[in-house]
Every structure is written in structure tokens, then in C-alpha cells.
Amino acid sequence: MKIRFIFFCIILFFVGLGLKAQYTPKGISYQAVARDNLGNELKNKEVEVRLSIIPSDAGNTPEYTEVHNVTTDKYGLFTLIIGQGSYVTGTVTEFSNIDWRSGVHFLKVEADFGTGLKNMGTTQFLAVPYAMYAGSAANSPDSDDNQNLSYDPVKKELSLENGGKVDLSGLYEDADADPLNEIQDLSYSNHTLSLSKANQVTISVDDADADPINEIQSLSLDGYKLSISQGNAVTLTDRFEDADHDSLNEIQDLYLNEISNNLIITKNTTATPISLQKYLDNKDEQKLFTNGDSIWIDRGNTIALNDPSKTNEIQTLSHPGDSIALSLNGGKVFDRYDDADNNPNNELQSIALSGDILSITKDPASSPVNLSKYLDNSDDQNLSKSGYELSIENGNTVNLRPEIIAFRALRNLDNSKILYAGDSLLLAFPIEKFDLTSNYDNSNGKFVVPANGEGLYHFDLIYQYSTGQSLRIFVNGSFYEQVMNTGNYVFIMYLYPGDYIEIQLKSSGVSNPQAGAFSGYRIH
């Protein structure tokens, strides 16, 4: 995202040249509005601002550089005092020691929104800052502060309270000796400033066309009215296909990230994504298992089979002599029926089983019954385990061991890279010790959660801190957590496939990236 500043300065100097001298404040009030490339204000945003005072030419080495840490308000506005920040570098170490007399000076503005310093431009100071010379070393307040100047028009003497006197009579050519008719007027025409009854000077203006009415202007938007300062205004309502002219109820789209399963609404950078992970039941492909007299489905319920006996399965009837017998030790009964009619077609019948077909005898019109659906073929199965392999007799085998996801990498002191105040970089750990799933990139220090790698992760971060350095954890490119300055920092987080972790190093002074180690693994 491109970031820009729309800024303005409020500069106040009080230099007393009348009856009483005043101390000049050591600073310049500075205000700016931070916006993105679409013109939206960056609201409630932490910003690190680095300001450099450059003498003579914008390409020269800064005479003084300082840094401020500020937070924008709900309008994207922030305020600071140039001269009251933390010193970083420069040919002078105090803002008050800047030699404003040496010529023109330039202000260079840089800002860090969390991804490193960005150059916001360099602007030449105009006339107002040079009034600070009134508060420089040549005019600094001392034990004679709060003295009064007085002038005796008769004697033409200028006196300093608690000091000496100066005779100004030799500076006057005043034949009438009238001190009241010496008043002169200033006038300006064609870059020439003139004093009546005296000399004139030419004021150079850095303006190629010398046109005073085409200078830098600013845009403002009030509703649908767009105005330019010192110019005209236009109405933008005819540029919109919006019957109600309400900018808060425009059409938006929904977007589903199928890797992270996050649902996102467009046209709102502050909207919170919604995770749909909990709606994935992962129960489409299930298997049946048995355990003793119970049957259960993976990730489901268990049902008892209530009949653990293996000896009371399908039986047959027989009619030996005058008795009827049931197979499988089912017992028998005697046939003591009095059959007075001697009709062989209405006698007792028997059941016959051929394969899985059950039929009844002595009734050619009867329908046979197929009993194959009552064979579950799982009555006598056993479970066995070998290592992480779980097997069922006459069935399948499953591996109970989840995939191991783990990595570990090291880094050495890097003297070839120099960090200055406000600099930041993503910290790489190039010496890879192992990476079981090949999801750690040792060239840039990024760990990416693999497909089917959702779970709870444990990370260890070891770093040999240098003065003024700090580490930050970034998740999916966004700031997640500030690392406490300890030798060994442990953190745990729940991650989804495609999520990635990076470590950022930030410095507030001149230093080198130090040695360290970074490792992590999935706990569950």
C-alpha cells in the first residue's frame, strides 16, 4: 500500500525587539495528515517519523536528524515539535546548535508504518524558521535576561538597563532636530523592497514564471463539492451512479479464501474476516469398526450388538420319527398329533436352508426368504496394534500417527549489514538444521503452514540482542506481537494452512544483525 503525507506546519517565534527581550522557543510545530494511495486517512496508526535538517542543498549530508514516535488521531492527523525528538545523527548533536545563518536549509521527512522507513519528500525552509537565529548562541539568554532598552530622544542616547549607553547622535542628519518627522514607509514592487527616504533591496523569488497567483494550492472536499484553494469549485454528484448520494451504503462483494477458509467483505479495509473453519465437519469419508460385541463408526457413535453368542445363529428344523428337533442344541419336541383325517397335505411342515435361501416344505406356493442381508461377516474380528498401525481382522489398517511438522534454523552475526535508527528488516535464519515438511524458507526466515497442517504450534526464538534493538512477530504480513528482550522467547499460536510466520528486527541506533536461532513444531 502506498502511503503519503499531506502536511502543514504551524511555526511560532516570539522575538522581542521592544521594551523587553524574550527567550525564543527551541522548536518548530509540525502537523501532518497521513493518507493511503486512495486518499483515505490512516486513523489511529502508530507512526515513527524521522526528520532531517539539511544545509545548502537537498542532496547534502544532514546537519541534524531526530526521530519521533507518534499516533495519528481519528482524522489521520498527528502533531510534533521539530527539535524535541530523539537525536539520531548529524554534524551537530543539539537542535539549538543548527547554524541558520549559513544559508538555506531543507527539511527531509521519512516515516515508518511498520514495514521500514519511506521517504515522504524534502522541502526548503522559507523565511520564518530563520527567525530562530534570535535564539541562537549569539543571542542566547544569560544573566542579563529581562533587561529593558530605553532611548532619550533629546540626548539621542540608547541605554540598556544594568548596562551601558550608546550615543546615536552621530547617526542623524537632522537639521530640524525634530525626532517626530523621521517616520518612513516600506513599499514593494517587482521584487524590490524600498524604504522611503532611504535605500532599497531586491528580493529574489524562486518562481520561474514570477506569477504570484499560480502558486501551490490545496484541494478540499465538502460533500460532493471539490474546491481548490485560490481557485474554483466543482460539483461531483454527476460523476456518481448513486441515487441516494450516500457513500456509506454502496454495493460490496463477499470473498472466500479457500486456503484459510476466511470470509471477507470488500471495500472495507477495517472489516474483520470471519473464519468458517468450524463448519467443516470432515465426516464425509467414515469407516465402520467392531470391538467385541460393539460396532462403531469413526468420529461417530457406538452401538452394542446385545447377542455375543456365536452358537445361536441360523438353525434348521428336522422331523426324525415322532419328534421335531432344532439344530445347534435347540432341543426337540414329540409329535403327538391325532391325525384322524389321514390327509397328507395338512401335516406338519419343516424348514429347509439352501445356501442363504430359507424355504418351507410341503407348500409349493410358499415364497422362499433370502437371509444374506443378515450376514454381517464381522462377528469374530479382532483389533491389533503394531507401532502406530491399528488393524482389524479381515478389514483395513489405519495409521494413528499424525504428520510431524517441525523445523529449526540458525543465523550468525552479520557485520556486512548496518542498521540505522528507525531501520527494520525481516530476519532470516539461513543455516537450516532440519525441515521435516519443507515449509521453512531459510532465505527469508518465513515458515508457512502446509496443507492439512492446521493445529496448535510451539515456537522458540533465541537472539543475542544489541543495544537499541527489538524483535516483532508478524503473522500473514501483519504485526502480531512485540518480543520481550530476553535471550530465549517462547510463543504458541493456532494456525491454519497457508498462514505464515516472520520475525522483524527493528533498530533505534547504529547496529548489526546479531546471531540467533528459530525453531517450531506442531503440538496437536
Side-chain angles (χ1 to χ4, degrees):
M1 177 173 66
K2 183 177 179 183
I3 307 297
R4 59 178 177 172
F5 278 162
I6 298 177
F7 61 88
F8 54 90
C9 294
I10 299 175
I11 308 173
L12 299 175
F13 294 98
F14 303 94
V15 181
L17 296 178
L19 295 178
K20 198 170 185 179
Q22 299 290 326
Y23 175 67
T24 305
K26 304 302 182 187
I28 304 172
S29 294
Y30 178 92
Q31 288 185 321
V33 175
R35 300 177 184 271
D36 61 17
N37 60 322
L38 298 178
N40 300 316
E41 296 89 350
L42 297 176
K43 305 174 182 179
N44 304 315
K45 181 77 173 179
E46 292 184 0
V47 184
E48 182 178 279
V49 182
R50 184 158 67 176
L51 304 171
S52 300
I53 309 295
I54 304 174
S56 302
D57 186 272
N60 286 345
T61 300
E63 186 175 357
Y64 174 81
T65 299
E66 67 181 19
V67 66
H68 296 257
N69 290 295
V70 298
T71 302
T72 63
D73 63 13
K74 62 181 179 180
Y75 303 108
L77 177 71
F78 66 86
T79 303
L80 54 83
I81 303 296
I82 303 175
Q84 296 185 10
S86 299
Y87 168 76
V88 176
T89 184
T91 56
V92 299
T93 60
E94 297 290 341
F95 180 76
S96 60
N97 293 336
I98 296 175
D99 187 4
W100 299 100
R101 301 168 300 177
S102 62
V104 297
H105 284 70
F106 296 83
L107 174 65
K108 179 180 180 181
V109 181
E110 299 169 278
D112 184 356
F113 293 84
T115 58
L117 285 171
K118 306 294 183 183
N119 189 347
M120 296 300 165
T122 301
T123 307
Q124 180 180 343
F125 279 112
L126 299 179
V128 174
Y130 301 110
M132 291 198 71
Y133 175 61
S136 66
N139 296 285
S140 60
D142 53 27
S143 60
D144 292 329
D145 284 348
N146 300 322
Q147 300 185 66
N148 294 320
L149 283 173
S150 61
Y151 178 67
D152 186 339
V154 177
K155 296 181 179 180
K156 298 180 176 60
E157 286 183 345
L158 182 66
S159 301
L160 178 65
E161 182 184 3
N162 301 322
K165 299 180 180 181
V166 178
D167 186 357
L168 302 180
S169 60
L171 301 178
Y172 287 85
E173 295 179 0
D174 191 359
D176 60 8
D178 183 356
L180 302 178
N181 64 355
E182 311 307 320
I183 297 173
Q184 304 183 67
D185 294 324
L186 279 174
S187 61
Y188 177 76
S189 176
N190 296 326
H191 308 301
T192 300
L193 182 66
S194 303
L195 183 64
S196 64
K197 304 178 183 179
N199 65 325
Q200 61 185 22
V201 294
T202 300
I203 299 176
S204 61
V205 179
D206 186 10
D207 187 355
D209 59 7
D211 184 350
I213 63 172
N214 66 349
E215 306 309 312
I216 297 174
Q217 298 170 272
S218 60
L219 285 173
S220 61
L221 181 64
D222 182 8
Y224 291 93
K225 184 178 182 180
L226 180 66
S227 302
I228 186 170
S229 61
Q230 303 177 17
N232 65 324
V234 295
T235 301
L236 302 179
T237 54
D238 58 342
R239 271 69 170 178
F240 293 87
E241 295 180 0
D242 189 355
D244 59 5
H245 294 170
D246 185 353
S247 61
L248 302 178
N249 64 352
E250 305 310 310
I251 296 175
Q252 296 175 269
D253 292 327
L254 286 175
Y255 168 72
L256 177 63
N257 186 326
E258 296 184 356
I259 297 178
S260 64
N261 296 310
N262 283 340
L263 184 65
I264 303 169
I265 190 167
T266 62
K267 300 181 182 179
N268 186 355
T269 57
T270 62
T272 302
I274 298 175
S275 175
L276 303 181
Q277 191 69 28
K278 67 179 181 180
Y279 298 103
L280 299 176
D281 59 13
N282 298 318
K283 295 180 180 178
D284 296 331
E285 299 179 358
Q286 297 172 275
K287 294 181 179 180
L288 286 174
F289 302 91
T290 61
N291 183 10
D293 62 347
S294 298
I295 184 171
W296 57 278
I297 187 169
D298 65 324
R299 302 187 299 275
N301 63 322
T302 301
I303 299 176
L305 296 179
N306 294 331
D307 185 4
S309 175
K310 298 183 291 182
T311 62
N312 64 350
E313 306 307 312
I314 298 174
Q315 299 174 274
T316 59
L317 289 172
S318 61
H319 190 199
D322 60 351
S323 65
I324 300 174
L326 184 64
S327 64
L328 298 179
N329 299 319
K332 63 181 179 178
V333 295
F334 290 98
D335 182 8
R336 293 188 176 91
Y337 285 92
D338 182 8
D339 189 7
D341 59 7
N342 293 322
N343 185 353
N345 296 323
N346 64 356
E347 306 308 314
L348 294 174
Q349 297 173 274
S350 64
I351 296 176
L353 180 64
S354 176
D356 295 326
I357 304 301
L358 180 67
S359 59
I360 190 169
T361 63
K362 300 181 181 180
D363 186 1
S366 66
S367 299
V369 178
N370 189 336
L371 302 177
S372 61
K373 66 179 181 180
Y374 298 102
L375 297 176
D376 60 13
N377 297 319
S378 61
D379 293 338
D380 298 318
Q381 292 176 281
N382 295 314
L383 282 175
S384 61
K385 181 177 178 296
S386 176
Y388 290 99
E389 302 289 333
L390 180 66
S391 302
I392 187 169
E393 184 180 0
N394 300 320
N396 63 320
T397 299
V398 294
N399 192 316
L400 302 178
R401 177 179 180 179
E403 181 182 17
I404 298 176
I405 303 173
F407 73 93
R408 184 169 183 267
L410 311 176
R411 64 168 287 109
N412 295 323
L413 171 66
D414 187 0
N415 287 320
S416 64
K417 185 179 294 294
I418 300 176
L419 301 177
Y420 296 95
D423 286 349
S424 60
L425 72 133
L426 295 176
L427 200 61
F429 295 80
I431 308 173
E432 187 176 289
K433 306 302 289 185
F434 65 87
D435 184 6
L436 298 185
T437 54
S438 300
N439 285 278
Y440 175 74
D441 190 342
N442 63 349
S443 65
N444 55 24
K446 179 189 290 186
F447 169 70
V448 182
V449 178
N452 300 320
E454 176 187 350
L456 188 65
Y457 283 78
H458 175 281
F459 295 94
D460 286 281
L461 180 59
I462 301 174
Y463 186 74
Q464 297 178 354
Y465 285 93
S466 178
T467 302
Q469 291 186 344
S470 62
L471 297 181
R472 300 176 177 181
I473 301 169
F474 277 72
V475 179
N476 299 331
S478 298
F479 173 75
Y480 175 78
E481 185 171 293
Q482 177 76 33
V483 177
M484 294 182 291
N485 289 357
T486 62
N488 188 0
Y489 188 74
V490 176
F491 58 100
I492 298 174
M493 62 179 63
Y494 196 91
L495 300 174
Y496 297 94
D499 287 349
Y500 60 93
I501 307 296
E502 298 171 296
I503 306 300
Q504 183 195 72
L505 172 63
K506 190 172 183 65
S507 178
S508 62
V510 180
S511 63
N512 304 108
Q514 302 294 305
F518 185 33
S519 62
Y521 58 91
R522 183 170 66 173
I523 302 172
H524 179 71

